[in-house]
């Protein structure tokens, strides 16, 4: 069973500008980049910082506080100080809406 919920309209997402939404109580950062939409947990794995306030580049979102960047496909940090991945979630586009399943993490641990 999947539990996709509507996050927003696709037209609400600006390219490379993260949008924070809350889905079933989970803060999620939506990112439209490189022709795809990604959903990543909005809290950095290093400290309690909102990733949606960071910059997007090369399919990564950068934490504005200490600069770890997380891969939007896998959730893995590319460098210190963060060492743990951030959950990333499956996304579907249907009828102009962005749907996210926050109960199914795609994060790769290693
Ligand atoms: S809080 Fe994100 S890298 Fe430190």
């Amino acid at each position: 069973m999947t539990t996709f919920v509507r996050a927003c309209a696709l037209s609400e997402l600006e390219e490379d500008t993260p949008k924070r939404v809350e889905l079933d109580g989970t803060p999620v950062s939506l990112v439209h980049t490189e022709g795809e939409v990604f959903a990543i947990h909005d809290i950095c794995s290093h400290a309690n910082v909102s990733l949606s306030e960071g910059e997007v580049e090369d399919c990564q979102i950068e934490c504005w506080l200490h600069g770890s960047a997380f891969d939007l496909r896998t959730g893995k940090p590319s460098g210190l100080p963060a060492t743990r991945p951030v959950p990333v979630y499956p996304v579907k586009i249907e009828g102009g809406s962005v749907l996210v399943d926050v109960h199914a993490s795609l994060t790769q641990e290693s």
Side-chain angles (χ1 to χ4, degrees):
M1 195 188 86
T2 61
T3 46
F4 280 92
V5 294
R6 185 181 187 279
C8 68
L10 180 59
S11 58
E12 287 175 57
L13 296 180
E14 268 177 61
E15 186 96 4
D16 294 339
T17 304
K19 177 180 173 66
R20 180 185 164 113
V21 293
E22 199 151 313
L23 304 173
D24 288 348
T26 303
V28 175
S29 180
L30 299 173
V31 181
H32 190 187
T33 190
E34 300 187 1
E36 267 192 78
V37 177
F38 298 93
I40 187 164
H41 193 73
D42 193 43
I43 307 297
C44 184
S45 63
H46 181 238
N48 192 7
V49 165
S50 182
L51 291 177
S52 58
E53 291 169 27
E55 307 247 305
V56 174
E57 207 181 331
D58 294 336
C59 221
Q60 296 186 334
I61 189 165
E62 188 184 66
C63 177
W64 60 267
L65 191 55
H66 306 118
S68 285
F70 297 88
D71 192 304
L72 291 165
R73 294 159 293 208
T74 63
K76 285 191 204 170
S78 63
L80 296 171
T83 54
R84 284 171 297 124
V86 171
V88 288
Y89 307 110
V91 175
K92 282 200 297 199
I93 311 294
E94 256 177 34
S97 291
V98 178
L99 309 178
V100 179
D101 186 352
V102 290
H103 302 285
S105 174
L106 301 172
T107 306
Q108 294 168 14
E109 287 292 335
S110 57

